[in-house]
């Protein structure tokens, strides 16, 4: 039995509550992470393999490295846009762990993040971290699997050539086949799924695009993906009472929250299942749109950076640059301009590329060496996985105990912190009082010294005046005698 350890927020078979998802950060701040890690998990599950989730957090200790070396045969690391400054510290921790491993380490679908023009100059400050990571991985595998040409070119510019372009594992959730994309005709009665990225705000008017769709499609649902969104859905805020508003759906005062049109997916299986009930999906989230495509729902990506554009180009996913879209962009127009034929037609070839990468790195897959994922799917279907989180209406939704307990924990932690600060402030006040007392004593001593110095200066001046007087009197007395001696000692001229 081959034992595979995979980096993922949780196992696909773990049924967690919304509170656990938030409290333990099972999605790694973005539920899209589970979509590609679950797909990789399924892909690697064969009768002769056992796949275990390592969690999303990296423990780079020697103890953990020794455990992995002893208990597993290979460490698989599915990644997204890991080559970005905000992830540098996490990448360094991951590298530290990998450097201590003696088993193979295989990286899936890693990407470099850059603007839509593919300019990677801003990654220069972290080049050493990327080199160190790539060296550590390639010392333990045959190649690195990357998202697309941008990342491939970036790693090659750093001197690495054992690079395979494999895209993202999420697109291969169903192996070599891709769901048929349903034909539709968006109209006011259509169910529309919208996804938005806060980091796309500087690129285009996504808040305006969302507002335009909300005004014209009453059955619109906004699918959020970040942990902060889940916390807002679970905890709420006081923005409706305070009157605070934001054009982007970040507060409960936003119309989408007020009308209960926001959902937060937790598990990929239920996320995809829900999206089967929609007529069209679009937005800036790459995995929000991939989830829709896997559900057979037509979807268009609004690209705003290289991480979205790179995957769209590789998989031929219909997309439009966000910079070219006005706030009045209509989902109907996006659908009519979309062509899904190249995406579906090229899927088989791209799948073979993925399988070749797995073979090159000694990883059996369920599609070639197993049942095609049938047992995985059956086991998943038997679970009661949570549906997407709705907007909390303040009633008893089964999470009240957690909310009260969590609030109590926070209050207790805040009280403990306040007590600690009070003790520290007391110690500081005591030290300050002592310092002030010493300063007062020093001031008195300094004043006395200044007084003594003034007196000494006065005495010195008197002595100097006395010495000057003595010098003058001495010169008066000795002057004539000295002149006479000099006159007598002067030699006479020859005429004398």
């Amino acid at each position: 039995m081959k034992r595979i350890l995979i980096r993922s927020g949780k196992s696909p078979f773990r049924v967690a509550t919304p509170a656990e998802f938030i409290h333990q950060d099972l999605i790694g701040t973005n539920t899209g992470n589970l979509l590609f890690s679950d797909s990789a998990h399924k892909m690697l599950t064969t009768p002769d393999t056992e796949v275990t989730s390592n969690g999303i957090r990296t423990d780079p200790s020697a103890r953990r490295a020794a455990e992995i070396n002893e208990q597993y045969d290979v460490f698989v690391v599915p990644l997204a846009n890991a080559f970005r400054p905000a992830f540098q510290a996490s990448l360094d921790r991951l590298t530290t762990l990998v450097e201590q491993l003696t088993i193979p380490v295989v990286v899936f679908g890693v990407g470099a993040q850059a603007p839509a023009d593919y300019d990677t100059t801003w990654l220069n400050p972290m080049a050493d971290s990327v080199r160190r990571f790539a060296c550590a991985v390639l010392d333990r595998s045959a190649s690195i699997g990357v998202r697309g040409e941008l990342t491939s070119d970036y790693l090659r510019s750093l001197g690495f050539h054992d690079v395979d372009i494999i895209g993202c594992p999420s697109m291969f959730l169903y192996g070599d086949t891709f769901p048929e994309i349903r034909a539709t005709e968006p109209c006011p009665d259509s169910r529309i799924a919208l996804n938005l990225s806060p980091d796309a705000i500087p690129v285009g008017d996504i808040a305006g695009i969302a507002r335009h769709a909300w005004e014209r499609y009453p059955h619109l649902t906004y699918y959020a993906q970040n942990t902060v969104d889940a916390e807002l859905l679970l905890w709420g805020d006081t923005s409706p009472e305070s009157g605070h508003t934001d054009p982007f759906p970040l507060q409960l005062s936003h119309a989408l929250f007020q009308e209960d049109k926001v959902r937060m997916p937790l598990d990929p299986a239920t996320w995809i299942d829900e999206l089967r009930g929609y007529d069209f999906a679009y937005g800036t989230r790459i995995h929000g749109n991939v989830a829709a495509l896997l559900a057979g729902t037509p979807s268009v990506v609004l690209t705003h950076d290289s991480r979205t554009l790179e995957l769209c180009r590789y998989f031929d996913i219909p997309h439009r640059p966000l910079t070219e879209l006005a706030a009045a962009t209509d989902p109907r127009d996006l659908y009519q301009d979309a062509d899904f034929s190249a995406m579906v037609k090229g899927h088989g070839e791209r799948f073979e590329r993925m399988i070749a990468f797995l073979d090159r790195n000694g990883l059996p897959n369920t599609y070639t060496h197993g049942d095609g994922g049938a047992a995985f799917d059956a086991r998943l279907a038997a679970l009661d996985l949570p549906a997407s989180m709705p907007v909390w209406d303040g009633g008893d939704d089964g999470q009240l105990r957690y909310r009260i307990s969590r609030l109590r924990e926070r209050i207790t932690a805040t009280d403990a912190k306040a007590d600690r600060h009070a003790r520290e402030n007391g110690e500081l006040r005591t030290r300050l009082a002592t310092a002030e007392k010493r300063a007062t004593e020093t001031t008195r001593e300094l004043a006395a010294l200044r007084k003594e110095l003034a007196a000494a200066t006065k005495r010195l001046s008197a002595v100097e005046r006395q010495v000057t007087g003595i010098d003058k009197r001495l010169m008066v007395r000795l002057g004539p005698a000295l002149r006479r001696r000099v006159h007598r000692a002067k030699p006479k001229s020859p005429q004398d």
Side-chain angles (χ1 to χ4, degrees), residues 23-274:
H23 201 71
Q24 300 175 31
D25 190 20
L26 299 181
I27 62 174
T29 74
N30 185 337
T31 195
N33 291 327
L34 286 185
L35 187 58
F36 63 76
S37 64
D38 277 18
S39 182
H41 194 121
K42 176 182 178 180
M43 192 180 298
L44 298 173
T45 301
T46 71
D48 298 323
T49 59
E50 180 182 71
V51 185
T52 302
S53 174
N54 184 52
I56 206 72
R57 303 298 178 189
T58 300
D59 177 1
S61 67
R63 177 194 58 78
R64 180 55 179 157
E67 289 176 352
I68 295 174
N69 286 328
E70 180 181 355
Q71 298 175 15
Y72 300 97
D73 300 303
V74 59
F75 183 32
V76 172
V77 187
L79 290 172
N81 53 325
F83 299 154
R84 70 184 194 276
F87 194 74
Q88 184 173 1
S90 299
L91 187 69
D92 288 340
R93 285 194 297 273
L94 184 57
T95 302
T96 298
L97 174 64
V98 171
E99 289 172 338
Q100 300 175 78
L101 299 182
T102 56
I103 61 175
V105 177
V106 183
V107 171
F108 270 59
V110 66
Q113 183 170 331
D117 62 3
Y118 280 23
D119 184 3
T120 59
T121 303
W122 83 307
L123 298 179
N124 290 345
M126 68 175 300
D128 288 342
S129 290
V130 176
R131 286 192 187 94
R132 182 184 163 211
F133 173 76
C135 283
V137 171
L138 288 174
D139 282 346
R140 295 160 180 81
S141 63
S143 63
I144 293 179
V146 301
R147 293 170 75 126
E149 290 185 2
L150 165 69
T151 308
S152 176
D153 291 343
Y154 173 65
L155 285 178
R156 291 177 187 279
S157 73
L158 296 179
F160 301 100
H161 299 282
D162 291 319
V163 179
D164 291 325
I165 300 177
I166 59 173
C168 178
S170 60
M171 287 290 284
F172 304 112
L173 184 63
Y174 303 124
D176 62 349
T177 61
F178 202 86
E180 181 181 353
I181 304 300
R182 297 185 300 277
T184 187
E185 189 65 34
C187 64
D189 291 331
S190 296
R191 296 192 69 200
I192 306 295
L194 174 69
N195 54 80
L196 302 170
S197 312
D199 53 10
I201 293 175
V203 181
D205 189 5
I206 54 175
I209 291 174
R211 183 179 62 253
H212 181 84
W214 166 75
E215 291 171 348
R216 287 159 178 77
Y217 295 87
H219 302 296
L220 174 79
T221 301
Y222 167 48
Y223 272 83
Q225 290 183 210
N226 286 352
T227 301
V228 293
D229 300 310
E231 290 175 338
L232 179 59
L233 290 170
L234 184 74
W235 290 98
D237 65 17
T238 60
S239 60
E241 292 77 15
S242 65
H244 292 163
T245 60
D246 192 295
F248 191 88
L250 293 172
Q251 298 176 319
L252 289 187
S253 55
H254 195 281
L256 289 170
F257 284 95
Q258 292 290 298
E259 298 177 8
D260 192 22
K261 293 182 176 179
V262 181
R263 293 293 182 268
M264 171 72 186
L266 298 175
D267 274 288
T270 51
W271 186 9
I272 294 170
D273 189 56
E274 289 176 19

Side-chain angles (χ1 to χ4, degrees), residues 14-18 21 265-267 270-271 274 384-389:
R14 176 185 171 183
V15 180
T17 66
F21 271 96
L266 298 175
D267 274 288
T270 51
W271 186 9
E274 289 176 19
D384 186 17
L385 296 171
S388 295
M389 292 177 62

Side-chain angles (χ1 to χ4, degrees), residues 261-374:
K261 293 182 176 179
V262 181
R263 293 293 182 268
M264 171 72 186
L266 298 175
D267 274 288
T270 51
W271 186 9
I272 294 170
D273 189 56
E274 289 176 19
L275 289 173
R276 289 192 179 96
Y278 287 83
D279 300 296
F280 182 66
Y282 73 111
T284 57
R285 298 275 192 182
I286 184 63
H287 288 109
N289 291 289
V290 168
L293 293 170
L294 292 171
T297 301
S299 180
V300 174
V301 181
L302 310 184
T303 57
H304 64 285
D305 61 8
S306 68
R307 60 177 170 169
T308 52
L309 182 58
E310 186 175 31
L311 284 179
C312 287
R313 286 176 172 172
Y314 179 70
F315 285 108
D316 288 317
I317 298 173
H319 60 281
R320 295 282 298 277
L322 182 59
T323 53
E324 298 178 3
L325 300 178
T329 297
D330 195 290
R332 178 185 177 91
D333 297 331
L334 293 175
Y335 172 76
Q336 291 179 341
D337 293 339
D339 182 358
F340 301 93
S341 59
M343 180 188 73
V344 176
K345 182 179 180 181
H347 184 76
E349 181 182 344
R350 286 184 286 264
F351 177 75
E352 289 303 321
R353 241 176 261 144
M354 169 63 81
I355 297 305
F357 167 78
L358 296 177
D359 290 342
R360 184 178 181 186
N361 285 280
L363 290 175
N365 71 87
T366 187
Y367 306 105
T368 305
H369 309 93
D371 61 2

